Every structure is written in C-alpha cells, then in structure tokens.
Amino acid sequence: MNLKIAVLGAGVMGNGIAHSLAVGGFDVELYDPIEAARIGAIEQIRKNLAKGVERGKLSAGEADVALKRVKPAVTLAAARDCGLVIEAVPEEMALKHAIFKELSTVCPPATILATNTSALSITEIAASATEPSRVVGMHYFNPAHIMRLVEVVRGLETADRAVEVVESVAKQCGKETVLINEAPGFATSRINAMIGNEAFYMLMEGVASARDIDKALKLGLNHPMGPFEMIDLVGLDTRLKVLEYLHATLGEKFRPCPLLVKYVKAGRLGRKVGRGVYDYPDK
Ligand code: NAD
C-alpha cells in the first residue's frame, strides 16, 4: 500500500507513530505548532532508529531511508494531499473537535481521519467532521514504534473502508490489530487506567512503597512493567484525563485518586518532564 500519511502532534505518541509508519514504508508529514516539539520529535526518531540498528532490527541504510521519510510540517495544510491523517494531540475533546473540523476543510472527502485518543468517544470526535463515516479510532501504545498492538475503534458512523485502511496500514508496519466497538476506554485503557488508579490509592494509603508495588506486579503477576513505571511513561496528565473521562462515563469506580491529582498539580507529569512517581535526572 502506498499512502502519504499526516501525523498531528509530535509529542510522546506522535513521534513513535511517525517512526513506525516510516519504517513501514510510508511518507509522513509530522505536524506540530510548537517548533521545539517538531525538532525534538525528529531527534527522538533518529535516536530510536539508531537503537533499532544497534539491536539488529533494521540496517543503517533502512534507518536512513526511514528518517528521510518523516517531514516536519509547520501547518495543518500539510495534510492536504494525504490519504490518511492520524491525530495525536492532547486528550481534550474541544481540541480534537477543532482539529477534525479544520481537517474537513483541508482534506478531500476520501481522506481517512484517524484519532489516537486513549479513551474518548470516536462518535463524538467524528461529529465535528463533515463526513463522520471516514473517522476511525487508531489507538497505538507507548512506545508506538515498538508496541505491537493497534486497537482499531469503530464509532457509530465509521465506514468499513476506514476500518480496512487503518488495518492495512497497521499490518504493513508489522502491527497486530483488534477491532473494538466504541466504548469508553476501549478494551485496554479501561483496564489499564483502573490498575494504575488502584495503585495510586494503595500508595496513598501506605500499603507499600511505589517500588514495592511495581515489583509485586512484575514478579508476582508477571506484568512486564509496574503500574507506576507505566504511568510515568504514559504521562500523569494524560492518565488523569483518561480517568476523568472514564469517571464521567462509567461511574464512581473510576474516580481519579486524589494523590494522582496532587502529583499532576505539582507538575510531576512523568518521564517527559524528568519527574513523575520516580525521578529521571538525565531528562
Ligand atoms: P503529548 O502531550 O506528549 O503530545 C501532544 C503534542 O500535540 C504536543 O507536542 C503539542 O504541541 C501538540 N499539539 C497541541 N495542539 C496541537 C494542535 N492543535 N495541532 C497539532 N499538534 C498539537 O501527548 P501524547 O502523550 O502524545 O498524547 C497524544 C494523544 O495520544 C492523546 O489523545 C493521548 O490520550 C493519546 N495516547 C497517549 C498514550 C501515552 O502513553 N502517552 C498512549 C496512547 C494514546
């Protein structure tokens, strides 16, 4: 499949998604309004590709070709001639609405519009696009260039063609997909947010230290990462937004733990800022 793809948002997820698409053979326009985010993302992709070469995942030549496929874009107009757009901007419905409304004027009707939202309603995001049938959820996992799953989420109006295009793109990039009928938090975020929130309640209650809760889940339950390591990777602000949404849609069992709220207020947002549950002095 030969398709030019726009990725909107060059943050934690945007750079990993662009990396995965470029290695899969797609030309990518990576748009972010913040110059530092665009520069940082290209640098991150370069570093991650180099790690891939060290680990024998791809050759140095393939990494060079992949890096050249990713073009930083300074306006949303870069999505104009793309067959697929993948949105990875912060988890706020108002922002997603503004972007999908603008995309409807920028892109021709055949362009498929995907969102990497962790939990929000695809149907609600699609309502701001002129053709809601072309909007579909394409939920990657962090780090997106390594994790193998993409949750494909069908909203109320999503057309079969939109599902087929994103499934083919994911497959070409070596990903596995699952097809989810829209529900808050899909399959993965719903369970993951619940585990992470419970871990925060346990920390707040003094049940054990963060290190020991992480160790317990890794060694006792065979989780590859502890819940606090995971939340530091995801971003505490992103996780809080997911929990707030699940609380509003699915009820009391998802009420965000006050300690998590406190950490976010303190600016302890995770690895991306050098401090979350744990400290990352090198960041
Ligand atoms: P992030 O904060 O790391 O990055 C968001 C980027 O979007 C920033 O660089 C910001 O400058 C940019 N941005 C802001 N407004 C924009 C606009 N109008 N147009 C284009 N770019 C804009 O966030 P993230 O963690 O990458 O999350 C992005 C999306 O992916 C969210 O919906 C989140 O829920 C979802 N998601 C996150 C994870 C995770 O582990 N972090 C996993 C799966 C899905």
Side-chain angles (χ1 to χ4, degrees), residues 147-228:
M147 298 296 285
R148 289 195 62 212
L149 185 68
V150 174
E151 260 182 320
V152 175
V153 188
R154 189 191 269 283
L156 185 68
E157 311 281 3
T158 305
D160 289 345
R161 189 176 90 82
V163 170
E164 284 156 19
V165 168
V166 297
E167 281 179 345
S168 304
V169 167
K171 195 169 168 204
Q172 188 169 319
C173 299
K175 307 288 190 198
E176 294 281 337
T177 59
V178 288
L179 183 58
I180 306 288
N181 288 316
E182 179 184 315
F186 320 134
T188 50
S189 298
R190 184 165 167 172
I191 289 177
N192 204 19
M194 173 66 88
I195 293 174
N197 203 37
E198 198 58 31
F200 256 105
Y201 274 110
M202 288 162 65
L203 187 63
M204 190 173 76
E205 290 161 14
V207 171
S209 66
R211 292 252 177 242
D212 275 355
I213 293 170
D214 275 350
K215 190 173 173 183
L217 267 78
K218 284 190 290 185
L219 302 188
L221 302 182
N222 224 6
H223 288 206
M225 292 179 88
F228 295 117

Side-chain angles (χ1 to χ4, degrees), residues 217-266:
L217 267 78
K218 284 190 290 185
L219 302 188
L221 302 182
N222 224 6
H223 288 206
M225 292 179 88
F228 295 117
E229 291 167 343
M230 169 77 91
I231 201 167
D232 272 357
L233 182 69
V234 168
L236 277 71
D237 51 340
T238 300
R239 175 57 66 81
L240 178 58
K241 283 188 187 128
V242 170
L243 277 165
E244 285 168 346
Y245 181 72
L246 294 177
H247 183 222
T249 50
L250 296 175
E252 205 45 36
K253 62 186 174 181
F254 286 98
R255 177 179 291 282
C257 174
L259 184 61
L260 167 61
V261 176
K262 215 183 255 182
Y263 274 49
V264 171
K265 282 189 179 148

